Every structure is written in C-alpha cells, then in structure tokens.
Amino acid sequence: MEGVSFLLPIEFDLVATFFAAVTGAWAASRRGYDLVGAFMLALVTSIGGGLLRDSVFLAQVPLAMQDARYLWTILAALLAGTLTYRYSERIAHLFSYTDALAMGVYGVYGANWALISGLAPAAAVVVGVCNAVGGGLIRDVLVREEPLMFKPGQLYSIAAMAGCILFVVLSHQYGVDDQHAAWVAISVTLLVRVLAIRFNWTTVAVRSWKWPIRKDRDS
C-alpha cells in the first residue's frame, strides 16, 4: 500500500503493554486487590485493546497469544506497578500521564497494523482508537467505574483519535516514514492529553447542547 512500508517494530507494542499494565497494577493496588486480582487487571488493561484489534477487527490470532514477550512484559510491569504504587499516589496526574503514553503508542500501532492488513484509512483510524482505549475501557468496567470515554470530561478518546488520524495521514497519504510518523502522532496524542489535564479542556454532555430556536413572528 502507498505510504505504508512496513509494520512498526513490536517494541512499540511492548512498551505500550508495559505502561498500560503498570496502570492496571496501580488501579488494583488502589482498590486493595491481591496478587491474582492485580495480575488480571494488569493483563486486561495491557492487552485488552490488542485482543479487540486482532480478534474482532482483523480476524486473526491475537499477537499477544503468539509471543511470550507480552507475558514477561506484563509480569515486569506488575512488579514495577506494585513497587511504585505509593509514588503514583503522591505525584499528581502520574496515572493519567502514564495512561496517555500507553494510549498514544497503542493508537499508532493499531492503526499501522490495520493499514498493513489492508483496511481503508478511515477503518484504520477506528481500529487504532479501539486499540488505544480498549484496555482502559475494560479496566474501568471491571473495577465498576464509569469509563472515561463515556462521560463528559477531559479529552481522552479525542486525544487518541487525533494521534491516529495524524499517523494515517502522514504515513498513508504523504508517505512519511512509518517510524517518524509514529513518533509525531504519539507526541501529539500525549500533548493533547497532557494539555487537557493541565488546562481542564473538557467535553460537554449532549443534553446540554443548546441549539438556536427559531421563532416565527407574526407578519
């Protein structure tokens, strides 16, 4: 395909898996889960989006089920998350920033994988966004929290979408080297998410939208 030369190195996905699993371990520690609960939450948070990408959209055996490095990465993240939980509670927004980094990497990797698999650019953006937010969505559901992407609040899925669209446009439309396009898109996703947290850029509920009401006047 034009502008899509090769699949991004698996290290991109492994890095995202590590950071996402760390946030899962932090979420488990916050709720007082035991080791089994922490492992399961780290697992679904880190590979949930990839499982959705591979099994639902691309109809193939999930990559995480084919390569043992994913399991070792999750175990390492579980250990790191357990040991650093207290620091995550003390440093403002550390959880959100770590989640944003994982989200950015997952988004471009999912979009790149979709393009390589032959999906259209618009579909690749959808796959990338689902890859980016899928794990966090499952995590929130399992801990009985309303998912961030479902409610008004600081830009979340929109940040992932911005990065995915930028990656697809740069790599597919303009032929920019995949890795260069990936780094730019990841940076934009992270920047949008960080600025949204810093300056409280938020969405609003649909029911609060105010449409102009036209009143007919008697002539």
Side-chain angles (χ1 to χ4, degrees):
M1 293 183 64
E2 179 184 355
V4 182
S5 56
F6 61 90
L7 185 67
L8 290 170
I10 195 174
E11 284 74 19
F12 276 81
D13 207 23
L14 292 174
V15 167
T17 298
F18 179 85
F19 284 112
V22 167
T23 66
W26 285 344
S29 298
R30 185 179 300 166
R31 288 160 180 78
Y33 292 176
D34 61 12
L35 185 60
V36 174
F39 171 75
M40 291 305 299
L41 204 56
L43 179 72
V44 299
T45 303
S46 59
I47 67 173
L51 292 177
L52 181 64
R53 175 198 69 210
D54 294 339
S55 60
V56 175
F57 293 107
L58 304 183
Q60 61 186 25
V61 178
L63 186 60
M65 301 293 102
Q66 303 180 52
D67 195 323
R69 285 178 290 181
Y70 283 90
L71 177 59
W72 291 114
T73 299
I74 293 170
L75 291 174
L78 176 63
L79 177 62
T82 302
L83 294 176
T84 59
Y85 165 66
R86 295 185 183 277
Y87 298 100
S88 73
E89 293 291 287
R90 295 173 183 173
I91 302 176
H93 305 305
L94 181 60
F95 181 97
S96 297
Y97 293 156
T98 304
D99 185 62
L101 178 59
M103 182 175 65
V105 180
Y106 269 144
V108 299
Y109 195 82
N112 177 248
W113 188 274
L115 289 172
I116 293 294
S117 299
L119 271 64
V125 171
V126 173
V127 173
V129 173
C130 290
N131 196 166
V133 304
L137 175 64
I138 298 173
R139 176 195 64 213
D140 293 342
V141 170
L142 289 179
V143 299
R144 292 175 294 181
E145 284 188 359
E146 188 176 6
L148 288 174
M149 65 176 297
F150 286 170
K151 58 184 179 180
Q154 294 167 344
L155 305 184
Y156 186 71
S157 55
I158 291 177
M161 184 181 298
C164 291
I165 291 175
L166 182 59
F167 173 78
V168 170
V169 169
L170 290 177
S171 64
H172 185 271
Q173 188 68 29
Y174 292 102
V176 176
D177 177 76
D178 291 355
Q179 292 200 38
H180 292 161
W183 286 119
V184 172
I186 291 168
S187 300
V188 167
T189 301
L190 185 59
L191 179 63
V192 171
R193 180 65 178 140
V194 169
L195 290 177
I197 295 171
R198 176 65 179 82
F199 297 105
N200 196 33
W201 293 347
T202 62
T203 58
V204 296
V206 173
R207 67 181 181 184
S208 67
W209 293 1
K210 296 182 179 179
W211 302 97
I213 300 175
R214 185 176 180 178
K215 297 182 179 179
D216 295 331
R217 296 182 179 178
D218 296 333
S219 56

